[in-house]
Amino acid sequence: MKKTILVTILVAVMLLAAIGSVNAASVTANKTTIKAGETVQITVKPSEARDGVQFDVSYNADELQYVGTEKPTGMEVMDEVSNGTGRVMVYSMNGTTTEAVVMTFKALKDVESTEVKVTGFVSGAEEVEEAGKVTLKVEKVEDQKDPEDPTNPEKPGNTEKPSKPTDINGKPITEHPQTGTPIYVVAVVTIIIAAGAILAVRKNK
């Protein structure tokens, strides 16, 4: 009987330990698709608020750059992360706790898939070999103009009309600069006036 009770207690303890390990931490990203030059925030969250968290992080240094870890209010951050790997520690000297540790990474180039992995997570009695990972996609930036850009000649409906000669005021030279009357009309009127003047002169002679 005592043996049965002892085995039951041991099994219960093992189950609780397993549950604690599984839920020890979660790793998420504020977005999973970014562009080269943009940043992404990776959040490592313990199962409950803690006054100390430590974990290792790994990533592809050719594709991502570690920018830093946000400092929770009332806590300290100690991070040694470079060349694709490192360790992050967040701790308090006065009992202040945090519910999450936020790291920032910058995308360096276009890739279909790149990962940020968190391992060796330790927080209080919780300890797991691999806390989790996030997979990111860095979209390609097409080398072309925005189709909505009014200066883009390929924008639908953006057809150029043949240019017409203009005067210094930008008006078509086919019109009289003051009255807007077509040039040929002005020419006809001028000829008629000239002819009338000649006839008047002849009559006076």
Side-chain angles (χ1 to χ4, degrees):
M1 182 69 177
K2 290 183 179 180
K3 185 177 180 181
T4 302
I5 295 174
L6 180 60
V7 171
T8 303
I9 294 174
L10 288 174
V11 171
V13 170
M14 291 176 64
L15 288 174
L16 289 173
I19 294 173
S21 296
V22 172
N23 297 325
S26 63
V27 182
T28 58
N30 66 327
K31 51 186 175 182
T32 56
T33 301
I34 56 178
K35 290 183 174 62
E38 292 183 346
T39 58
V40 59
Q41 292 183 326
I42 308 298
T43 300
V44 180
K45 188 174 182 178
S47 58
E48 60 184 42
R50 295 291 186 182
D51 61 0
V53 174
Q54 173 184 299
F55 55 83
D56 297 325
V57 59
S58 59
Y59 57 96
N60 189 325
D62 292 330
E63 300 168 350
L64 297 173
Q65 176 186 348
Y66 173 74
V67 177
T69 296
E70 183 178 323
K71 181 179 177 181
T73 303
M75 303 188 75
E76 300 296 330
V77 172
M78 182 181 296
D79 56 342
E80 295 182 358
V81 182
S82 63
N83 299 323
T85 186
R87 176 166 293 179
V88 176
M89 293 179 61
V90 177
Y91 60 94
S92 170
M93 302 297 290
N94 55 15
T96 302
T97 61
T98 182
E99 296 182 347
V101 177
V102 181
M103 299 179 291
T104 300
F105 289 84
K106 180 179 180 180
L108 299 178
K109 63 180 181 180
D110 306 329
V111 290
E112 286 297 321
S113 178
T114 188
E115 290 183 347
V116 176
K117 184 182 294 186
V118 174
T119 58
F121 177 87
V122 179
S123 177
E126 300 173 333
E127 181 176 356
V128 290
E129 181 61 26
E130 180 176 329
K133 61 183 178 181
V134 294
T135 302
L136 307 172
K137 177 182 179 181
V138 185
E139 289 184 333
K140 294 181 179 180
V141 180
E142 298 296 336
D143 186 19
Q144 61 181 13
K145 290 187 176 182
D146 183 349
E148 296 302 321
D149 186 348
T151 63
N152 184 3
E154 296 181 0
K155 179 181 179 181
N158 188 17
T159 55
E160 296 184 359
K161 296 181 180 180
S163 59
K164 297 180 180 180
T166 58
D167 59 18
I168 60 174
N169 296 319
K171 294 182 179 180
I173 61 173
T174 55
E175 295 182 357
H176 191 276
Q178 294 181 343
T179 63
T181 306
I183 289 177
Y184 69 88
V185 174
V186 176
V188 171
V189 173
T190 302
I191 293 172
I192 293 174
I193 293 174
I198 293 172
L199 290 175
V201 171
R202 289 181 177 178
K203 287 182 179 180
N204 291 332
K205 288 182 179 180

